Amino acid sequence: MRQAFDIAVIGGGIAGASVASELASSGNHVVLLEMESQPGYHTTGRSAAVFAPSYGPAPIRALTRASEAFFQTPPDRFADHPLVTPRGALMIARDDQSESLENLVREVSDTLPVSVLDEAQLLEINPLLRRGYATAAMLDNSARDIDVNALHQGFLRRFKAEGGSIAVDAEVLALSHGSSGWHLDTRAGEFSAEIIVNAAGAWADQVGQMAGAERIGLVPKRRTIATIEAPGQIEFDHMPATIDVDEDFYLKPDAGKLLISPADETPSEPCDAQPEEIDIAICVDRIEKSFDLSVRRIENKWAGLRSFVSDKCPVAGYSQVAEGVYWLAGQGGYGIQSAPALARLAAAQILDKPVPQNIIDEGLDVADLAPGRFAADANQST
């Protein structure tokens, strides 16, 4: 028997869970379809996210700033402990990266109280840095660690409390559109909905093709993360996340260990991503060259897929060619920190309501997220 809903959200990661929560709270009959046995198995469940308003392209930074109030004061009973804790972010630069650092400071200093540090100052903040490696840095004290699981589960609880339905093991096999809306054939049965929200993460372009939507050029990219033992002679719990200004690596304290990454972005087919030994080796090499550390053992390692379009900004908006299909994809590595605001923006557009003013006030132009921007690029190239 086909189950009928107003809106079907495809994908139970942070994008799907957050927008489904917003849509259900507006009184809509919503189903969340997750292909795995549990929501958030892929990218969301493998994210080591930081709330960093200085991180990402301008539209992401605007959405992140607009999400700050939610992280600081979530709705009642959303989570039983804080969603964010103080961390800070230290963007470090070698001599040959001075232009990158100057550009970053210029881009963010109007909206964030950042500080520019010399080598002596940054070594005081992070004594693990190898002397002579980095000569300057930008410190963003507004950056915080995010409890990704608490955020994701909070959205799912809120969704269910508002009457939303979750179907797991519900990979979408076929989509068809008729006079009564969309018919979704899944491994968990058949569903119908007037509107489809494509929040399928790395699989979003595949879902879009099933629906006859335009291609957005989505490219899933593998990101590798590992944990190593922290040196016992240094107090590092409150040390900021230390990130190469060109994003070639990062290091961050995490639950008594050091979390490290080569910040790789290796194109991949949508899959259950696993770490490659070459990426772990590259990570160790970059970390040992940058920090006064000798990595003797990798304690844990994993990988996830972060999906990007050409301009690295999210795609949020109705398809121009497939009726009733709303794109919510391409969040890349910024989907956790921008989720609260992006979900409210998406829900407003889906329901044909004004975009919340606090998002507009942060300087976001919604045209920068629209799927139609790729068609404009194609026309200009011809």
Side-chain angles (χ1 to χ4, degrees):
M1 182 178 296
R2 186 183 304 173
Q3 301 179 60
F5 294 86
D6 299 326
I7 303 170
V9 178
I10 301 173
I14 195 67
S18 58
V19 75
S21 172
E22 292 291 337
L23 292 167
S25 67
S26 296
N28 298 279
H29 191 30
V30 183
V31 63
L32 183 63
L33 303 175
E34 168 55 48
M35 67 183 290
E36 303 292 352
S37 59
Q38 64 185 48
Y41 172 79
H42 290 284
T43 301
T44 297
R46 308 175 194 194
S47 173
V50 173
F51 179 87
S54 58
Y55 185 48
I60 283 292
R61 297 199 300 268
L63 287 166
T64 302
R65 295 192 300 271
S67 298
E68 184 171 13
F70 186 99
F71 281 110
Q72 294 282 48
T73 311
D76 289 343
R77 297 183 295 279
F78 187 87
D80 58 9
H81 59 275
L83 295 176
V84 291
T85 51
R87 171 59 60 198
L90 191 64
M91 309 295 293
I92 64 171
R94 303 182 305 270
D95 265 339
D96 60 301
Q97 295 173 305
S98 59
E99 185 176 352
S100 294
L101 185 65
E102 290 168 4
N103 290 339
L104 177 61
V105 172
R106 184 167 54 250
E107 288 176 9
V108 305
S109 57
D110 287 345
T111 54
L112 294 172
V114 296
S115 305
V116 178
L117 310 180
D118 60 24
E119 182 177 5
Q121 291 169 314
L122 69 91
L123 284 170
E124 185 175 345
I125 292 173
N126 187 343
L128 291 177
L129 276 165
R130 192 173 293 280
R131 293 183 180 276
Y133 177 81
T135 56
M138 183 190 80
L139 177 62
D140 175 10
N141 277 321
S142 64
R144 304 171 184 87
D145 284 337
I146 300 175
D147 188 328
V148 178
N149 183 64
L151 179 69
H152 186 228
Q153 292 301 317
F155 280 126
L156 291 173
R157 277 195 302 272
R158 183 183 175 207
F159 173 61
K160 290 186 283 188
E162 295 290 351
S165 299
I166 299 176
V168 296
D169 297 316
E171 180 184 358
V172 176
L173 304 175
L175 297 168
S176 59
H177 187 261
S179 58
S180 60
W182 283 95
H183 173 210
L184 301 90
D185 183 13
T186 82
R187 294 194 186 279
E190 297 183 2
F191 300 84
S192 65
E194 296 178 18
I195 296 169
I196 291 174
V197 180
N198 183 1
W203 287 263
D205 240 347
Q206 292 182 3
V207 170
Q209 289 303 292
M210 284 188 204
E214 61 271 73
R215 286 189 179 275
I216 59 172
L218 191 74
V219 180
K221 297 183 177 183
R222 188 176 66 246
R223 169 59 57 92
T224 305
I225 304 175
T227 56
I228 60 175
E229 183 178 6
Q233 71 272 21
I234 295 176
E235 174 57 45
F236 65 91
D237 285 345
H238 302 293
M239 186 184 298
T242 303
I243 307 165
D244 176 76
V245 71
D246 290 326
E247 292 192 54
D248 281 339
F249 61 82
Y250 66 80
L251 174 147
K252 172 174 99 69
D254 184 76
K257 306 293 182 181
L258 292 177
L259 188 151
I260 59 175
S261 173
D264 48 328
E265 294 183 352
T266 307
S268 169
E269 292 297 316
C271 66
D272 183 359
Q274 299 298 321
E276 300 281 347
E277 289 305 319
I278 184 62
D279 294 323
I280 296 296
I282 290 170
C283 179
V284 170
D285 180 65
R286 291 178 181 176
I287 292 299
E288 290 186 335
K289 285 179 178 177
S290 312
F291 300 90
D292 191 13
L293 291 170
S294 177
V295 179
R296 295 178 179 153
R297 185 168 71 93
I298 298 295
E299 300 204 349
N300 195 13
K301 58 185 176 182
W302 65 96
L305 296 181
R306 305 152 79 244
S307 299
F308 297 90
V309 294
S310 57
D311 59 11
K312 292 197 170 184
C313 294
V315 183
Y318 273 109
S319 167
Q320 294 189 318
V321 298
E323 181 182 348
V325 174
Y326 186 92
W327 284 99
L328 187 59
Q331 292 88 342
Y334 321 108
I336 306 296
Q337 68 176 30
S338 61
L342 186 56
R344 286 187 289 115
L345 181 152
Q349 290 185 322
I350 292 165
L351 302 175
D352 195 24
K353 295 181 178 180
V355 174
Q357 188 59 45
N358 76 308
I359 297 177
I360 301 299
D361 289 344
E362 293 296 345
L364 179 72
D365 184 347
V366 295
D368 290 338
L369 309 182
R373 71 190 193 264
F374 305 110
D377 290 343
N379 291 337
Q380 289 175 5
S381 66
T382 58

mmCIF file of all heavy atoms in Angstrom, residues 205-229:
data_model
loop_
_atom_site.group_PDB
_atom_site.id
_atom_site.type_symbol
_atom_site.label_atom_id
_atom_site.label_comp_id
_atom_site.label_asym_id
_atom_site.label_seq_id
_atom_site.Cartn_x
_atom_site.Cartn_y
_atom_site.Cartn_z
ATOM 1 N N ASP A 205 22.970 13.910 -6.964
ATOM 2 C CA ASP A 205 22.869 14.015 -8.425
ATOM 3 C C ASP A 205 22.187 12.782 -9.015
ATOM 4 O O ASP A 205 21.429 12.887 -9.987
ATOM 5 C CB ASP A 205 24.241 14.227 -9.060
ATOM 6 C CG ASP A 205 24.326 15.529 -9.856
ATOM 7 O OD1 ASP A 205 23.266 16.136 -10.130
ATOM 8 O OD2 ASP A 205 25.439 15.953 -10.192
ATOM 9 N N GLN A 206 22.418 11.614 -8.424
ATOM 10 C CA GLN A 206 21.745 10.406 -8.896
ATOM 11 C C GLN A 206 20.250 10.488 -8.668
ATOM 12 O O GLN A 206 19.453 10.130 -9.548
ATOM 13 C CB GLN A 206 22.327 9.173 -8.187
ATOM 14 C CG GLN A 206 23.766 8.865 -8.563
ATOM 15 C CD GLN A 206 24.297 7.613 -7.889
ATOM 16 O OE1 GLN A 206 23.583 6.923 -7.172
ATOM 17 N NE2 GLN A 206 25.569 7.309 -8.121
ATOM 18 N N VAL A 207 19.851 10.968 -7.491
ATOM 19 C CA VAL A 207 18.425 11.147 -7.206
ATOM 20 C C VAL A 207 17.832 12.187 -8.146
ATOM 21 O O VAL A 207 16.729 12.020 -8.673
ATOM 22 C CB VAL A 207 18.217 11.552 -5.734
ATOM 23 C CG1 VAL A 207 16.761 11.977 -5.477
ATOM 24 C CG2 VAL A 207 18.597 10.400 -4.811
ATOM 25 N N GLY A 208 18.578 13.268 -8.392
ATOM 26 C CA GLY A 208 18.102 14.291 -9.304
ATOM 27 C C GLY A 208 17.846 13.745 -10.694
ATOM 28 O O GLY A 208 16.855 14.097 -11.349
ATOM 29 N N GLN A 209 18.727 12.854 -11.171
ATOM 30 C CA GLN A 209 18.534 12.266 -12.492
ATOM 31 C C GLN A 209 17.310 11.361 -12.530
ATOM 32 O O GLN A 209 16.597 11.310 -13.538
ATOM 33 C CB GLN A 209 19.789 11.488 -12.905
ATOM 34 C CG GLN A 209 20.978 12.386 -13.235
ATOM 35 C CD GLN A 209 20.645 13.382 -14.335
ATOM 36 O OE1 GLN A 209 20.449 13.019 -15.483
ATOM 37 N NE2 GLN A 209 20.558 14.660 -13.977
ATOM 38 N N MET A 210 17.039 10.652 -11.450
ATOM 39 C CA MET A 210 15.819 9.846 -11.384
ATOM 40 C C MET A 210 14.575 10.711 -11.550
ATOM 41 O O MET A 210 13.584 10.297 -12.150
ATOM 42 C CB MET A 210 15.732 9.125 -10.026
ATOM 43 C CG MET A 210 16.625 7.942 -9.847
ATOM 44 S SD MET A 210 16.193 7.124 -8.282
ATOM 45 C CE MET A 210 17.723 6.298 -7.915
ATOM 46 N N ALA A 211 14.650 11.926 -11.005
ATOM 47 C CA ALA A 211 13.504 12.838 -11.045
ATOM 48 C C ALA A 211 13.456 13.655 -12.331
ATOM 49 O O ALA A 211 12.510 14.427 -12.536
ATOM 50 C CB ALA A 211 13.551 13.772 -9.838
ATOM 51 N N GLY A 212 14.465 13.522 -13.188
ATOM 52 C CA GLY A 212 14.507 14.313 -14.404
ATOM 53 C C GLY A 212 14.933 15.749 -14.170
ATOM 54 O O GLY A 212 14.662 16.628 -15.004
ATOM 55 N N ALA A 213 15.630 16.007 -13.058
ATOM 56 C CA ALA A 213 16.102 17.362 -12.744
ATOM 57 C C ALA A 213 17.404 17.653 -13.484
ATOM 58 O O ALA A 213 18.043 16.754 -14.051
ATOM 59 C CB ALA A 213 16.310 17.518 -11.239
ATOM 60 N N GLU A 214 17.796 18.918 -13.474
ATOM 61 C CA GLU A 214 19.059 19.312 -14.075
ATOM 62 C C GLU A 214 20.227 18.728 -13.292
ATOM 63 O O GLU A 214 20.107 18.448 -12.104
ATOM 64 C CB GLU A 214 19.186 20.847 -14.110
ATOM 65 C CG GLU A 214 19.165 21.493 -12.726
ATOM 66 C CD GLU A 214 17.786 21.830 -12.247
ATOM 67 O OE1 GLU A 214 17.031 20.891 -11.889
ATOM 68 O OE2 GLU A 214 17.444 23.020 -12.171
ATOM 69 N N ARG A 215 21.353 18.543 -13.962
ATOM 70 C CA ARG A 215 22.571 18.159 -13.251
ATOM 71 C C ARG A 215 23.178 19.406 -12.605
ATOM 72 O O ARG A 215 23.165 20.486 -13.186
ATOM 73 C CB ARG A 215 23.584 17.523 -14.200
ATOM 74 C CG ARG A 215 23.218 16.107 -14.633
ATOM 75 C CD ARG A 215 24.371 15.466 -15.375
ATOM 76 N NE ARG A 215 24.065 14.107 -15.789
ATOM 77 C CZ ARG A 215 24.219 13.031 -15.013
ATOM 78 N NH1 ARG A 215 24.685 13.179 -13.778
ATOM 79 N NH2 ARG A 215 23.930 11.836 -15.462
ATOM 80 N N ILE A 216 23.715 19.224 -11.412
ATOM 81 C CA ILE A 216 24.357 20.348 -10.734
ATOM 82 C C ILE A 216 25.875 20.162 -10.654
ATOM 83 O O ILE A 216 26.567 21.000 -10.090
ATOM 84 C CB ILE A 216 23.769 20.565 -9.321
ATOM 85 C CG1 ILE A 216 23.950 19.314 -8.451
ATOM 86 C CG2 ILE A 216 22.296 20.960 -9.415
ATOM 87 C CD1 ILE A 216 23.569 19.526 -6.996
ATOM 88 N N GLY A 217 26.376 19.085 -11.236
ATOM 89 C CA GLY A 217 27.827 18.858 -11.225
ATOM 90 C C GLY A 217 28.366 18.507 -9.858
ATOM 91 O O GLY A 217 29.487 18.893 -9.505
ATOM 92 N N LEU A 218 27.602 17.760 -9.081
ATOM 93 C CA LEU A 218 28.012 17.403 -7.725
ATOM 94 C C LEU A 218 29.158 16.396 -7.763
ATOM 95 O O LEU A 218 29.093 15.390 -8.476
ATOM 96 C CB LEU A 218 26.827 16.803 -6.969
ATOM 97 C CG LEU A 218 27.000 16.620 -5.468
ATOM 98 C CD1 LEU A 218 26.930 17.968 -4.766
ATOM 99 C CD2 LEU A 218 25.918 15.693 -4.920
ATOM 100 N N VAL A 219 30.214 16.675 -7.001
ATOM 101 C CA VAL A 219 31.366 15.776 -6.934
ATOM 102 C C VAL A 219 31.617 15.387 -5.477
ATOM 103 O O VAL A 219 32.040 16.224 -4.670
ATOM 104 C CB VAL A 219 32.633 16.437 -7.514
ATOM 105 C CG1 VAL A 219 33.816 15.476 -7.429
ATOM 106 C CG2 VAL A 219 32.403 16.876 -8.951
ATOM 107 N N PRO A 220 31.353 14.130 -5.097
ATOM 108 C CA PRO A 220 31.731 13.671 -3.757
ATOM 109 C C PRO A 220 33.250 13.578 -3.662
ATOM 110 O O PRO A 220 33.908 13.102 -4.596
ATOM 111 C CB PRO A 220 31.080 12.284 -3.659
ATOM 112 C CG PRO A 220 30.065 12.235 -4.761
ATOM 113 C CD PRO A 220 30.612 13.106 -5.852
ATOM 114 N N LYS A 221 33.784 14.038 -2.529
ATOM 115 C CA LYS A 221 35.233 14.009 -2.338
ATOM 116 C C LYS A 221 35.558 13.406 -0.974
ATOM 117 O O LYS A 221 34.974 13.793 0.044
ATOM 118 C CB LYS A 221 35.825 15.420 -2.447
ATOM 119 C CG LYS A 221 35.630 16.031 -3.834
ATOM 120 C CD LYS A 221 36.283 17.396 -3.949
ATOM 121 C CE LYS A 221 36.126 17.948 -5.361
ATOM 122 N NZ LYS A 221 36.814 19.253 -5.529
ATOM 123 N N ARG A 222 36.493 12.470 -0.984
ATOM 124 C CA ARG A 222 36.858 11.763 0.244
ATOM 125 C C ARG A 222 37.694 12.640 1.147
ATOM 126 O O ARG A 222 38.624 13.306 0.712
ATOM 127 C CB ARG A 222 37.615 10.480 -0.108
ATOM 128 C CG ARG A 222 37.866 9.569 1.097
ATOM 129 C CD ARG A 222 38.530 8.269 0.687
ATOM 130 N NE ARG A 222 39.884 8.472 0.177
ATOM 131 C CZ ARG A 222 40.248 8.249 -1.077
ATOM 132 N NH1 ARG A 222 39.365 7.831 -1.971
ATOM 133 N NH2 ARG A 222 41.509 8.447 -1.461
ATOM 134 N N ARG A 223 37.353 12.646 2.428
ATOM 135 C CA ARG A 223 38.137 13.332 3.465
ATOM 136 C C ARG A 223 38.568 12.292 4.494
ATOM 137 O O ARG A 223 37.744 11.525 5.002
ATOM 138 C CB ARG A 223 37.294 14.429 4.106
ATOM 139 C CG ARG A 223 37.859 15.081 5.380
ATOM 140 C CD ARG A 223 39.216 15.739 5.203
ATOM 141 N NE ARG A 223 39.247 16.749 4.179
ATOM 142 C CZ ARG A 223 39.031 18.054 4.394
ATOM 143 N NH1 ARG A 223 38.748 18.478 5.600
ATOM 144 N NH2 ARG A 223 39.125 18.913 3.378
ATOM 145 N N THR A 224 39.853 12.258 4.795
ATOM 146 C CA THR A 224 40.435 11.273 5.705
ATOM 147 C C THR A 224 40.748 11.913 7.052
ATOM 148 O O THR A 224 41.251 13.030 7.109
ATOM 149 C CB THR A 224 41.736 10.701 5.098
ATOM 150 O OG1 THR A 224 41.453 10.171 3.803
ATOM 151 C CG2 THR A 224 42.319 9.609 5.980
ATOM 152 N N ILE A 225 40.465 11.194 8.120
ATOM 153 C CA ILE A 225 40.729 11.669 9.483
ATOM 154 C C ILE A 225 41.352 10.533 10.288
ATOM 155 O O ILE A 225 41.035 9.359 10.074
ATOM 156 C CB ILE A 225 39.429 12.151 10.170
ATOM 157 C CG1 ILE A 225 38.738 13.236 9.336
ATOM 158 C CG2 ILE A 225 39.725 12.682 11.569
ATOM 159 C CD1 ILE A 225 37.409 13.676 9.881
ATOM 160 N N ALA A 226 42.255 10.881 11.187
ATOM 161 C CA ALA A 226 42.870 9.891 12.067
ATOM 162 C C ALA A 226 43.049 10.502 13.451
ATOM 163 O O ALA A 226 43.035 11.730 13.618
ATOM 164 C CB ALA A 226 44.216 9.438 11.507
ATOM 165 N N THR A 227 43.205 9.662 14.428
ATOM 166 C CA THR A 227 43.542 10.132 15.772
ATOM 167 C C THR A 227 44.876 9.526 16.192
ATOM 168 O O THR A 227 45.201 8.385 15.843
ATOM 169 C CB THR A 227 42.466 9.751 16.807
ATOM 170 O OG1 THR A 227 42.264 8.338 16.791
ATOM 171 C CG2 THR A 227 41.158 10.465 16.496
ATOM 172 N N ILE A 228 45.662 10.332 16.930
ATOM 173 C CA ILE A 228 46.957 9.903 17.433
ATOM 174 C C ILE A 228 47.056 10.272 18.909
ATOM 175 O O ILE A 228 46.278 11.096 19.414
ATOM 176 C CB ILE A 228 48.126 10.548 16.656
ATOM 177 C CG1 ILE A 228 48.076 12.074 16.778
ATOM 178 C CG2 ILE A 228 48.091 10.109 15.194
ATOM 179 C CD1 ILE A 228 49.261 12.804 16.153
ATOM 180 N N GLU A 229 48.025 9.675 19.576
ATOM 181 C CA GLU A 229 48.250 9.987 20.986
ATOM 182 C C GLU A 229 48.804 11.402 21.117
ATOM 183 O O GLU A 229 49.639 11.840 20.318
ATOM 184 C CB GLU A 229 49.225 8.983 21.586
ATOM 185 C CG GLU A 229 49.464 9.174 23.072
ATOM 186 C CD GLU A 229 50.401 8.115 23.640
ATOM 187 O OE1 GLU A 229 50.939 7.327 22.832
ATOM 188 O OE2 GLU A 229 50.576 8.094 24.862
#
